[in-house]
Amino acid sequence: MLFALTARDKAGALEVRKANRDAHLAYIKDTGVVAQAGPLLDAAGEMCGSLVILDVDDMDAAQAWAAGDPYKAADLFESVEIIAWKKVIG
């Protein structure tokens, strides 16, 4: 089942994101459940959040993945939303 995780960074947290990006990308690779992912961008083109499409069994698994993300441990996010998602195009 697919889930869309949308996370918004705390204001002024770009350096926190950059400092933890390698660990976040390694987590994505190591867990093997991310179908698509990429940063959200602000008006200046700077990273300000994340969009991650997870392919996991259920919401509990999606929440567990989010809880294990190094960005979570770094307290990067102002907000995180996870919602079931149905791929229609692409």
Side-chain angles (χ1 to χ4, degrees):
M1 184 169 196
L2 297 175
F3 291 86
L5 180 155
T6 306
R8 303 285 181 164
D9 294 358
K10 291 180 177 177
L14 182 58
E15 293 308 314
V16 173
R17 172 176 280 275
K18 288 179 180 178
N20 291 279
R21 193 160 195 256
D22 289 344
H24 168 73
L25 294 174
Y27 181 67
I28 287 174
K29 182 179 177 185
D30 292 346
T31 57
V33 298
V34 176
Q36 296 181 28
L40 302 176
L41 305 177
D42 64 16
E46 295 289 347
M47 297 179 288
C48 64
S50 298
L51 173 62
V52 181
I53 305 298
L54 299 166
D55 188 353
V56 294
D57 291 336
D58 53 31
M59 179 62 82
D60 288 343
Q63 291 172 337
W65 187 92
D69 186 351
Y71 280 164
K72 166 80 169 145
D75 199 28
L76 173 62
F77 299 131
E78 177 70 28
S79 66
V80 176
E81 179 183 18
I82 303 172
I83 188 168
W85 182 69
K86 180 179 178 181
K87 182 178 176 179
V88 175
I89 299 172

